[in-house]
Amino acid sequence: STSTDPIGDVEQEVKEWAREKKSEIEQLRSQEKFRREFLSNISHEFKTPLFAIQGYIEAIVEDEFYDTEMAMQFLKKAEKNVDRLSYLIKDLDEISKLESGEIPINYTRFKINDLIKEVFEQLELKAKQHEIKLIFKQKYDDAILVSADRDKICQVMINLIDNSFKYGKPGGSTSVSLFELHDQVLVEITDEGIGINEKHLPRLFERFFRIDSHRSREIGGSGLGLAIVKHIIEAHQQTINVRSTEGIGSTFGFTLQKVMQSPLKQVIPTLKS
Ligand code: ADP
């Protein structure tokens, strides 16, 4: 090079190197902070049900004049907390596998309409129990063919619809709508539930993020459902978003890759006739 200021050049290089190192260190620090927070979240999540189980069992063991009815009640409460622990472990296992890339995305072609109907059948009873009406707003006559991991998208839909029950209002509805975009399909799940304040939306998909942690734990979530959903959609190179109005309801929307129908298929029937 024809630089006239070699010292200035070196100085510049050193400054750049220092900047790079600084940003690397900052990145490591934030990863470390993230890891610490994650671990402390996990132990907190485990502690609550574990202490509850301990409490109920102790109460039964120490009951001098053994009261069968009370013991039964406590055992049922303990059982509920055991369930919570197993959900938590299942979800943690799932998210760590997704994050490490251990679970591959198995693309197949399927009709999204069929999957929605299948998910509705699976959730029919639960919807009734929550007194929520499940509606499929089918705008298109023909089923739309998509390319995705069917089981995983099934799980995404179940998680989102299940949340619409958990944070829904009895007597309300949850509807699923499809919108055809150019080479994608947008699937939207809209509820008439409690809604989400705008200030919480940016953190909603974070692991263990909850708006009302006491209420959510009572309802029985692991706090990992939306993080899992986001992972699955992003592993498909698709997007997920949410819009919501507190007190009115929320809409979660995600995209899927549409299988483009070859134009030949549209031509052939006319050729035959
Ligand atoms: P959880 O197991 O706590 O339900 P999620 O990851 O599924 O965990 O959701 C995170 C939080 O987002 C919930 O605790 C709840 O506060 C909020 N949330 C999720 N879905 C909805 C919804 N449909 N309406 C209102 N709030 C919701």
Side-chain angles (χ1 to χ4, degrees), residues 30-47:
S30 89
Q31 276 171 10
E32 180 53 32
K33 185 169 166 260
F34 189 70
R35 213 163 293 150
R36 256 203 317 269
E37 276 173 9
F38 187 50
L39 277 177
S40 112
N41 277 333
I42 291 177
S43 50
H44 184 75
E45 293 297 327
F46 275 92
K47 249 190 247 165

PDB file of all heavy atoms in Angstrom, residues 30-47:
ATOM      1  N   SER A  30     -22.377 -11.974  28.156  1.00  0.00           N
ATOM      2  CA  SER A  30     -23.831 -12.060  28.078  1.00  0.00           C
ATOM      3  C   SER A  30     -24.278 -13.516  27.965  1.00  0.00           C
ATOM      4  O   SER A  30     -25.311 -13.899  28.487  1.00  0.00           O
ATOM      5  CB  SER A  30     -24.383 -11.188  26.953  1.00  0.00           C
ATOM      6  OG  SER A  30     -24.445 -11.904  25.757  1.00  0.00           O
ATOM      7  N   GLN A  31     -23.446 -14.352  27.293  1.00  0.00           N
ATOM      8  CA  GLN A  31     -23.777 -15.785  27.240  1.00  0.00           C
ATOM      9  C   GLN A  31     -23.720 -16.392  28.635  1.00  0.00           C
ATOM     10  O   GLN A  31     -24.571 -17.197  29.018  1.00  0.00           O
ATOM     11  CB  GLN A  31     -22.777 -16.533  26.353  1.00  0.00           C
ATOM     12  CG  GLN A  31     -23.114 -16.464  24.878  1.00  0.00           C
ATOM     13  CD  GLN A  31     -21.995 -17.018  24.012  1.00  0.00           C
ATOM     14  OE1 GLN A  31     -21.045 -17.618  24.506  1.00  0.00           O
ATOM     15  NE2 GLN A  31     -22.104 -16.805  22.723  1.00  0.00           N
ATOM     16  N   GLU A  32     -22.692 -15.977  29.377  1.00  0.00           N
ATOM     17  CA  GLU A  32     -22.507 -16.483  30.729  1.00  0.00           C
ATOM     18  C   GLU A  32     -23.686 -16.069  31.614  1.00  0.00           C
ATOM     19  O   GLU A  32     -24.214 -16.869  32.376  1.00  0.00           O
ATOM     20  CB  GLU A  32     -21.172 -15.938  31.282  1.00  0.00           C
ATOM     21  CG  GLU A  32     -20.828 -16.367  32.691  1.00  0.00           C
ATOM     22  CD  GLU A  32     -20.873 -17.881  32.895  1.00  0.00           C
ATOM     23  OE1 GLU A  32     -20.583 -18.607  31.933  1.00  0.00           O
ATOM     24  OE2 GLU A  32     -21.217 -18.303  34.008  1.00  0.00           O
ATOM     25  N   LYS A  33     -24.109 -14.813  31.451  1.00  0.00           N
ATOM     26  CA  LYS A  33     -25.236 -14.291  32.225  1.00  0.00           C
ATOM     27  C   LYS A  33     -26.508 -15.077  31.886  1.00  0.00           C
ATOM     28  O   LYS A  33     -27.275 -15.454  32.753  1.00  0.00           O
ATOM     29  CB  LYS A  33     -25.415 -12.801  31.893  1.00  0.00           C
ATOM     30  CG  LYS A  33     -26.475 -12.119  32.715  1.00  0.00           C
ATOM     31  CD  LYS A  33     -26.411 -10.607  32.538  1.00  0.00           C
ATOM     32  CE  LYS A  33     -27.650  -9.945  33.080  1.00  0.00           C
ATOM     33  NZ  LYS A  33     -28.628  -9.581  32.050  1.00  0.00           N
ATOM     34  N   PHE A  34     -26.653 -15.328  30.582  1.00  0.00           N
ATOM     35  CA  PHE A  34     -27.810 -16.060  30.074  1.00  0.00           C
ATOM     36  C   PHE A  34     -27.856 -17.450  30.701  1.00  0.00           C
ATOM     37  O   PHE A  34     -28.891 -17.918  31.177  1.00  0.00           O
ATOM     38  CB  PHE A  34     -27.667 -16.164  28.561  1.00  0.00           C
ATOM     39  CG  PHE A  34     -28.868 -16.706  27.869  1.00  0.00           C
ATOM     40  CD1 PHE A  34     -30.023 -15.954  27.788  1.00  0.00           C
ATOM     41  CD2 PHE A  34     -28.842 -17.957  27.284  1.00  0.00           C
ATOM     42  CE1 PHE A  34     -31.137 -16.446  27.144  1.00  0.00           C
ATOM     43  CE2 PHE A  34     -29.953 -18.456  26.640  1.00  0.00           C
ATOM     44  CZ  PHE A  34     -31.103 -17.702  26.568  1.00  0.00           C
ATOM     45  N   ARG A  35     -26.669 -18.114  30.730  1.00  0.00           N
ATOM     46  CA  ARG A  35     -26.581 -19.468  31.275  1.00  0.00           C
ATOM     47  C   ARG A  35     -26.921 -19.479  32.765  1.00  0.00           C
ATOM     48  O   ARG A  35     -27.636 -20.339  33.241  1.00  0.00           O
ATOM     49  CB  ARG A  35     -25.153 -19.995  31.062  1.00  0.00           C
ATOM     50  CG  ARG A  35     -25.107 -21.473  30.827  1.00  0.00           C
ATOM     51  CD  ARG A  35     -23.784 -21.885  30.233  1.00  0.00           C
ATOM     52  NE  ARG A  35     -23.602 -21.358  28.897  1.00  0.00           N
ATOM     53  CZ  ARG A  35     -22.409 -21.051  28.365  1.00  0.00           C
ATOM     54  NH1 ARG A  35     -21.310 -21.182  29.074  1.00  0.00           N
ATOM     55  NH2 ARG A  35     -22.327 -20.607  27.140  1.00  0.00           N
ATOM     56  N   ARG A  36     -26.358 -18.463  33.463  1.00  0.00           N
ATOM     57  CA  ARG A  36     -26.623 -18.369  34.913  1.00  0.00           C
ATOM     58  C   ARG A  36     -28.112 -18.191  35.173  1.00  0.00           C
ATOM     59  O   ARG A  36     -28.696 -18.853  36.028  1.00  0.00           O
ATOM     60  CB  ARG A  36     -25.852 -17.191  35.511  1.00  0.00           C
ATOM     61  CG  ARG A  36     -24.622 -17.605  36.290  1.00  0.00           C
ATOM     62  CD  ARG A  36     -24.220 -16.529  37.292  1.00  0.00           C
ATOM     63  NE  ARG A  36     -24.278 -15.185  36.756  1.00  0.00           N
ATOM     64  CZ  ARG A  36     -23.266 -14.550  36.170  1.00  0.00           C
ATOM     65  NH1 ARG A  36     -22.097 -15.143  36.058  1.00  0.00           N
ATOM     66  NH2 ARG A  36     -23.414 -13.320  35.701  1.00  0.00           N
ATOM     67  N   GLU A  37     -28.714 -17.307  34.395  1.00  0.00           N
ATOM     68  CA  GLU A  37     -30.143 -17.037  34.579  1.00  0.00           C
ATOM     69  C   GLU A  37     -30.975 -18.282  34.283  1.00  0.00           C
ATOM     70  O   GLU A  37     -31.928 -18.590  34.986  1.00  0.00           O
ATOM     71  CB  GLU A  37     -30.593 -15.909  33.659  1.00  0.00           C
ATOM     72  CG  GLU A  37     -30.336 -14.545  34.233  1.00  0.00           C
ATOM     73  CD  GLU A  37     -30.642 -13.430  33.238  1.00  0.00           C
ATOM     74  OE1 GLU A  37     -31.210 -13.725  32.164  1.00  0.00           O
ATOM     75  OE2 GLU A  37     -30.291 -12.296  33.538  1.00  0.00           O
ATOM     76  N   PHE A  38     -30.559 -18.996  33.233  1.00  0.00           N
ATOM     77  CA  PHE A  38     -31.288 -20.196  32.833  1.00  0.00           C
ATOM     78  C   PHE A  38     -31.258 -21.227  33.963  1.00  0.00           C
ATOM     79  O   PHE A  38     -32.280 -21.781  34.346  1.00  0.00           O
ATOM     80  CB  PHE A  38     -30.681 -20.765  31.552  1.00  0.00           C
ATOM     81  CG  PHE A  38     -31.443 -21.907  30.961  1.00  0.00           C
ATOM     82  CD1 PHE A  38     -32.813 -21.817  30.759  1.00  0.00           C
ATOM     83  CD2 PHE A  38     -30.802 -23.075  30.601  1.00  0.00           C
ATOM     84  CE1 PHE A  38     -33.533 -22.868  30.208  1.00  0.00           C
ATOM     85  CE2 PHE A  38     -31.515 -24.136  30.047  1.00  0.00           C
ATOM     86  CZ  PHE A  38     -32.872 -24.034  29.859  1.00  0.00           C
ATOM     87  N   LEU A  39     -30.043 -21.439  34.520  1.00  0.00           N
ATOM     88  CA  LEU A  39     -29.900 -22.406  35.616  1.00  0.00           C
ATOM     89  C   LEU A  39     -30.717 -21.983  36.829  1.00  0.00           C
ATOM     90  O   LEU A  39     -31.363 -22.812  37.465  1.00  0.00           O
ATOM     91  CB  LEU A  39     -28.427 -22.552  36.001  1.00  0.00           C
ATOM     92  CG  LEU A  39     -27.650 -23.519  35.126  1.00  0.00           C
ATOM     93  CD1 LEU A  39     -26.191 -23.552  35.534  1.00  0.00           C
ATOM     94  CD2 LEU A  39     -28.250 -24.919  35.206  1.00  0.00           C
ATOM     95  N   SER A  40     -30.667 -20.688  37.133  1.00  0.00           N
ATOM     96  CA  SER A  40     -31.403 -20.252  38.319  1.00  0.00           C
ATOM     97  C   SER A  40     -32.907 -20.362  38.080  1.00  0.00           C
ATOM     98  O   SER A  40     -33.663 -20.720  38.975  1.00  0.00           O
ATOM     99  CB  SER A  40     -30.957 -18.854  38.738  1.00  0.00           C
ATOM    100  OG  SER A  40     -31.960 -17.919  38.540  1.00  0.00           O
ATOM    101  N   ASN A  41     -33.333 -20.119  36.839  1.00  0.00           N
ATOM    102  CA  ASN A  41     -34.740 -20.328  36.485  1.00  0.00           C
ATOM    103  C   ASN A  41     -35.151 -21.781  36.677  1.00  0.00           C
ATOM    104  O   ASN A  41     -36.179 -22.075  37.262  1.00  0.00           O
ATOM    105  CB  ASN A  41     -34.971 -19.986  35.012  1.00  0.00           C
ATOM    106  CG  ASN A  41     -35.175 -18.509  34.802  1.00  0.00           C
ATOM    107  OD1 ASN A  41     -35.632 -17.814  35.701  1.00  0.00           O
ATOM    108  ND2 ASN A  41     -34.825 -18.025  33.635  1.00  0.00           N
ATOM    109  N   ILE A  42     -34.292 -22.682  36.165  1.00  0.00           N
ATOM    110  CA  ILE A  42     -34.619 -24.106  36.253  1.00  0.00           C
ATOM    111  C   ILE A  42     -34.756 -24.528  37.710  1.00  0.00           C
ATOM    112  O   ILE A  42     -35.726 -25.173  38.095  1.00  0.00           O
ATOM    113  CB  ILE A  42     -33.547 -24.976  35.564  1.00  0.00           C
ATOM    114  CG1 ILE A  42     -33.584 -24.759  34.054  1.00  0.00           C
ATOM    115  CG2 ILE A  42     -33.760 -26.452  35.877  1.00  0.00           C
ATOM    116  CD1 ILE A  42     -32.521 -25.526  33.323  1.00  0.00           C
ATOM    117  N   SER A  43     -33.771 -24.109  38.540  1.00  0.00           N
ATOM    118  CA  SER A  43     -33.849 -24.585  39.920  1.00  0.00           C
ATOM    119  C   SER A  43     -35.073 -24.011  40.615  1.00  0.00           C
ATOM    120  O   SER A  43     -35.721 -24.697  41.393  1.00  0.00           O
ATOM    121  CB  SER A  43     -32.563 -24.296  40.689  1.00  0.00           C
ATOM    122  OG  SER A  43     -32.215 -22.965  40.531  1.00  0.00           O
ATOM    123  N   HIS A  44     -35.412 -22.767  40.254  1.00  0.00           N
ATOM    124  CA  HIS A  44     -36.611 -22.172  40.841  1.00  0.00           C
ATOM    125  C   HIS A  44     -37.868 -22.945  40.430  1.00  0.00           C
ATOM    126  O   HIS A  44     -38.723 -23.247  41.250  1.00  0.00           O
ATOM    127  CB  HIS A  44     -36.718 -20.709  40.418  1.00  0.00           C
ATOM    128  CG  HIS A  44     -37.865 -20.011  41.057  1.00  0.00           C
ATOM    129  ND1 HIS A  44     -37.840 -19.629  42.373  1.00  0.00           N
ATOM    130  CD2 HIS A  44     -39.068 -19.669  40.579  1.00  0.00           C
ATOM    131  CE1 HIS A  44     -38.993 -19.067  42.669  1.00  0.00           C
ATOM    132  NE2 HIS A  44     -39.761 -19.070  41.586  1.00  0.00           N
ATOM    133  N   GLU A  45     -37.922 -23.277  39.138  1.00  0.00           N
ATOM    134  CA  GLU A  45     -39.081 -24.010  38.617  1.00  0.00           C
ATOM    135  C   GLU A  45     -39.245 -25.363  39.295  1.00  0.00           C
ATOM    136  O   GLU A  45     -40.359 -25.831  39.495  1.00  0.00           O
ATOM    137  CB  GLU A  45     -38.951 -24.226  37.109  1.00  0.00           C
ATOM    138  CG  GLU A  45     -39.018 -22.972  36.276  1.00  0.00           C
ATOM    139  CD  GLU A  45     -40.355 -22.255  36.389  1.00  0.00           C
ATOM    140  OE1 GLU A  45     -41.382 -22.924  36.560  1.00  0.00           O
ATOM    141  OE2 GLU A  45     -40.350 -21.017  36.337  1.00  0.00           O
ATOM    142  N   PHE A  46     -38.108 -26.005  39.597  1.00  0.00           N
ATOM    143  CA  PHE A  46     -38.179 -27.320  40.240  1.00  0.00           C
ATOM    144  C   PHE A  46     -38.523 -27.214  41.716  1.00  0.00           C
ATOM    145  O   PHE A  46     -39.202 -28.060  42.269  1.00  0.00           O
ATOM    146  CB  PHE A  46     -36.853 -28.076  40.072  1.00  0.00           C
ATOM    147  CG  PHE A  46     -36.771 -28.814  38.774  1.00  0.00           C
ATOM    148  CD1 PHE A  46     -36.215 -28.214  37.647  1.00  0.00           C
ATOM    149  CD2 PHE A  46     -37.286 -30.093  38.660  1.00  0.00           C
ATOM    150  CE1 PHE A  46     -36.165 -28.881  36.449  1.00  0.00           C
ATOM    151  CE2 PHE A  46     -37.237 -30.771  37.450  1.00  0.00           C
ATOM    152  CZ  PHE A  46     -36.678 -30.163  36.345  1.00  0.00           C
ATOM    153  N   LYS A  47     -37.990 -26.155  42.332  1.00  0.00           N
ATOM    154  CA  LYS A  47     -38.152 -26.016  43.784  1.00  0.00           C
ATOM    155  C   LYS A  47     -39.620 -25.926  44.177  1.00  0.00           C
ATOM    156  O   LYS A  47     -40.046 -26.573  45.125  1.00  0.00           O
ATOM    157  CB  LYS A  47     -37.437 -24.738  44.242  1.00  0.00           C
ATOM    158  CG  LYS A  47     -36.204 -25.021  45.075  1.00  0.00           C
ATOM    159  CD  LYS A  47     -35.719 -23.720  45.674  1.00  0.00           C
ATOM    160  CE  LYS A  47     -34.383 -23.308  45.101  1.00  0.00           C
ATOM    161  NZ  LYS A  47     -34.031 -21.927  45.368  1.00  0.00           N
TER     162      LYS A  47
END
